[in-house]
Amino acid sequence: MKSTKYSEKVLDHFRNPRNVGTLEGEDVAVGKVGNPTCGDIMEVYIRIDGNVITDAKFRTFGCGSAIATTSMTTEMVKGMTLDEAMKLTRQDVADELDGLPPIKMHCSNLAADALHEAIKSYRRGKGEEVPDEDEKVKDEIKCLVGKDEFLDKGVYLNVEDRNEFKDLRTLVLYSGDESVEIAIELTEVTDRVILLTPDETVVINPELAERLASSSVKVLYQSKLLEVRGEFEVEKVLILNIDEDEEYELFVDAVVIIE
Ligand code: FES
C-alpha cells in the first residue's frame, strides 16, 4: 500500500462502520479517551460475561481512520478474554486492516486506548488492582540526572506562581493529567512550552486532550529526558528520541517535574 493511500478494508470500515452506538447494563464498561494530536474523542463500550467480551460498540468524534480502526477493533475484540484484549495493539488493528498510512497511525491509538480504558474501568469496578502506567514514568523521574542538583535553579517540582515562567522556554515532563494541566496553564505566560513523553501518545480524558490539542503546547512523543544540564542553573536538557535512538540537546530555561 502506498503511504498516503487507504486499503480497501479501511475504506470499507469507514463507509460501513460496524458496531456504532452504545451499550447499557451492569455488565458494560466504557472507556473514553481523547487524542491530543488532533483533539478527537472516542468512546468504546464493551459487554463482559465472566472474563470474555461478548459485545462491543463505539461512538466517536474522530476522523475516517479513527472510525475504521475502531470499527475493526470492536469486531476483533468480540470473543476475546480481557487479558487478550489488553494486549491488542494499534499495530494489530492496522495489520488487520491491511495497513494504515503512517501519518494516520496516531488515529488508531484512540481505539486501543479507549478499549484498554474500558477494561481497566471494569476491573477497578470489580475491586481489582489496576497498575498505573504512569508509575513507570514516575520511577524514572526519581533517578533523573541533574534533577536534585538544579532544584530551584530551573528545576521545579510544582508550579506555585506561573508568572515565574514568563517567556521561559519550559519543558514539562508528562506524568499524568496534572502535568498536562500545568503545561496548558503555562501557555498563558509563555508560548514556549514543551510536554515530553516517552510514549507514542498520552492517555488523558477527552476534555483535557481537546484543550491540549488547541493549546500552543508542543508535545514531543517518544522522547525521554536523560539529563538536566547547565553551569549554575538549567541551561539545557539531553533528550533521547526513542524512535530514532538518537540523543540531542535542547536549550531550555525551566524543567517542570510533577512527581
Ligand atoms: Fe484525529 Fe485521526 S485525525 S483521530
Side-chain angles (χ1 to χ4, degrees), residues 35 37-40 61-66 104 106-108 110:
N35 184 331
T37 309
C38 58
D40 289 346
F61 179 75
C63 69
S65 298
K104 303 304 282 182
H106 75 268
C107 310
S108 56
L110 277 176

Side-chain angles (χ1 to χ4, degrees), residues 4 17 53 96 104 114-115 123 142 163 198 225 242 248 256:
T4 52
I53 297 174
E96 199 66 27
K104 303 304 282 182
L115 169 69
R123 287 183 157 160
K142 280 201 187 95
N163 292 320
L225 179 58
I242 299 169
Y248 64 95
V256 178

Side-chain angles (χ1 to χ4, degrees), residues 8 40 60 171 179 198 205 247:
E8 277 308 313
D40 289 346
T60 189
L171 184 84
S179 57
N205 72 61
E247 294 178 8

